[in-house]
Amino acid sequence: MNTLNKALFGAVLAANTLLLNQFSHALEPVSIPQQKQVAGYYNYQFGNTQITALLDGTNYLNKALFKGLPESEIDAILKKYYADQAKGVQTSVNAFLINTGSQLLMVDSGAASCNGPNFGSIYSNLKAAGYQPEQVNEIFLTHLHSDHVCGISSNGAANYPNATLHIAKTEYDYWLSPKTLEKIPKDNQAKFLGTVAKIKAALAPYEQAKKIKVFSDKSLSFGGIEYKPSFGHTPGHYSFKFKQGDQEAVFIGDIVHSHSIQFDRPETAIDFDTDPAAAVQTRLKHFAEYAKAGQLIAAPHLPFPGIGHIYSKDGKSYQWIPVHFKDQ
């Protein structure tokens, strides 16, 4: 091999070696650090008002919490929705603002620090959306579970100092009357008392400021808000209807916890339901109504922003149709 050929051979060999090295490096797995998503708020124009969905956080529920369905069937439903089957059943915690132009209303308030590190973003997301906590005039609580009530306070101070709370009397009495504990099975009493402690801490600054209005079944409206009984998940669980001209938005609270499992199988209760049979009947009744009438739905546990419509082809199974994203 002459000198020129040796040089050419060496150059080709070096180039191939470099190419192979680059290729082998490209095949090496690269660890990309997870980044936090952008601010969790979404504005939806509803007639002359604006509904703003606020994200508190997302998490996964244990499949065993859904009653009467084998894990294999749950996995099949999750697979159909291209949902992660390994982690469990995804759920969100959302709250909602209604800006009427003259008032700023809020439905539910998120979990704050009561439900672990995955939640607690509503307060900051409200500010990111361009609002200040002092602007909130009224807060309507669908029920008093910690992921709906804990967000109203922080370290004994009201997060929304100018807001009045609206709570159903049945709900208020169930959690805060000492007599309720006598009716709770002993195995569940510790869990019940733990929830009560969180509720009392959240309500305390509003109680002190006399900023709580307890409504009864004889007082079913406040301004543009109409109270809609939806018992079962808790004894005093209410949804709220807001009308704007001939349009109606319903803030449904916890009549549903999964956009996949409980739309395909609406007869499926969840472990959090105080009265599972009543909760199922409420869901079946309200799903049928909303699928027929086509109201806008705002749901605290459906994928953010939790705003959309309920559809049914046969009146037996249902489908969640989220709103189409708009950037203005």
Side-chain angles (χ1 to χ4, degrees):
M1 184 179 292
N2 58 39
T3 304
L4 179 59
N5 286 341
K6 287 182 178 179
L8 285 173
F9 178 77
V12 170
L13 182 62
N16 287 338
T17 302
L18 177 62
L19 184 62
L20 286 171
N21 285 338
Q22 289 177 337
F23 186 70
S24 65
H25 285 311
L27 292 179
E28 292 179 3
V30 177
S31 178
I32 301 174
Q34 286 192 345
Q35 311 246 347
K36 189 170 178 61
Q37 297 285 11
V38 295
Y41 67 89
Y42 180 74
N43 296 319
Y44 183 84
Q45 197 65 30
F46 183 70
N48 293 325
T49 68
Q50 187 177 74
I51 297 173
T52 299
L54 303 172
L55 176 66
D56 202 42
T58 62
N59 202 3
Y60 291 87
L61 299 174
N62 191 308
K63 298 170 191 177
L65 293 173
F66 292 87
K67 301 302 181 183
L69 280 181
E71 185 171 337
S72 59
E73 188 169 350
I74 291 176
D75 285 342
I77 295 172
L78 294 177
K79 183 178 181 180
K80 185 180 78 169
Y81 282 89
Y82 292 91
D84 191 320
Q85 300 161 57
K87 291 183 179 180
V89 181
Q90 188 270 342
T91 191
S92 293
V93 173
N94 311 313
F96 302 93
L97 294 175
I98 307 170
N99 187 346
T100 68
S102 60
Q103 282 192 312
L104 188 61
L105 314 177
M106 190 172 186
V107 180
D108 291 325
S109 69
S113 60
C114 285
N115 285 46
N118 290 322
F119 303 107
S121 298
I122 280 178
Y123 191 75
S124 59
N125 283 333
L126 180 142
K127 291 181 177 180
Y131 295 103
Q132 293 301 315
E134 294 79 12
Q135 292 177 275
V136 178
N137 304 112
E138 315 285 340
I139 300 176
F140 299 87
L141 297 172
T142 57
H143 61 298
L144 294 179
H145 277 162
S146 58
D147 55 334
H148 296 259
V149 69
C150 278
I152 61 175
S153 301
S154 178
N155 297 319
N159 282 339
Y160 306 99
N162 297 320
T164 297
L165 307 182
H166 297 262
I167 307 168
K169 185 178 188 305
T170 306
E171 185 75 358
Y172 187 88
D173 290 346
Y174 174 77
W175 294 105
L176 299 177
S177 171
K179 295 181 180 179
T180 304
L181 188 63
E182 301 170 5
K183 305 174 185 177
I184 303 294
K186 288 188 176 180
D187 292 346
N188 296 333
Q189 286 184 359
K191 181 179 178 181
F192 176 83
L193 290 173
T195 300
V196 169
K198 292 177 181 179
I199 293 170
K200 286 183 175 180
L203 296 182
Y206 297 88
E207 297 269 21
Q208 187 175 1
K210 301 188 186 309
K211 289 273 193 175
I212 296 179
K213 286 188 177 180
V214 177
F215 63 86
S216 68
D217 290 344
K218 296 179 181 179
S219 175
L220 295 179
S221 65
F222 175 89
I225 295 284
E226 182 180 333
Y227 308 126
K228 183 178 178 64
S230 47
F231 309 137
H233 180 61
T234 62
H237 184 285
Y238 271 77
S239 302
F240 298 107
K241 293 196 296 184
F242 179 75
K243 293 185 177 181
Q244 180 71 194
D246 59 352
Q247 299 181 76
E248 187 174 271
V250 186
F251 299 82
I252 62 173
D254 283 14
I255 71 169
V256 61
H257 286 79
S258 168
H259 74 289
S260 54
I261 307 302
Q262 290 178 308
F263 276 84
D264 271 37
R265 302 288 188 274
E267 71 282 359
T268 304
I270 194 168
D271 186 68
F272 309 133
D273 294 333
T274 303
D275 185 338
V280 167
Q281 289 307 308
T282 290
R283 180 163 48 257
L284 293 172
K285 177 183 176 182
H286 289 199
F287 271 20
E289 175 189 337
Y290 303 145
K292 182 178 180 180
Q295 297 101 320
L296 183 74
I297 302 299
H301 294 307
L302 298 185
F304 184 77
I307 300 174
H309 295 85
I310 294 175
Y311 170 79
S312 178
K313 182 179 180 180
D314 55 10
K316 296 178 181 178
S317 63
Y318 296 86
Q319 186 177 354
W320 173 243
I321 310 293
V323 291
H324 295 284
F325 178 82
K326 296 179 181 179
D327 61 0
Q328 55 181 324

